[in-house]
Amino acid sequence: MRIGIRDTDGRLVGPVYKGGAVEGLTFSRERRFFPRARVRPDLPLAPTTPVYRIPNSGAPGW
């Protein structure tokens, strides 16, 4: 996620997206976690779907 860099007064120093956005100068990147949210509380939550990692075929031990 792009996070805008701010000056000492709390104002953005430049654009975060589009034209003049420069990584490290006007924005930085951070990982953010957003918990699940219910859009329709009248419906049950979707079942969890298992996600599997495909092993690298060149890795030792496979």
Side-chain angles (χ1 to χ4, degrees):
M1 165 171 248
R2 290 183 179 195
I3 307 296
I5 296 175
R6 298 182 179 272
D7 63 9
T8 56
D9 295 326
R11 293 185 300 248
L12 290 171
V13 297
V16 178
Y17 295 97
K18 296 192 180 180
V22 178
E23 188 166 2
L25 191 60
T26 62
F27 73 92
S28 63
R29 294 182 191 267
E30 292 182 10
R31 290 181 184 257
R32 294 276 174 107
F33 173 76
F34 295 99
R36 288 173 68 174
R38 283 193 152 186
V39 177
R40 297 261 321 257
D42 57 321
L43 297 177
L45 289 174
T48 58
T49 304
V51 177
Y52 301 97
R53 180 176 60 87
I54 300 172
N56 183 358
S57 61
W62 292 102

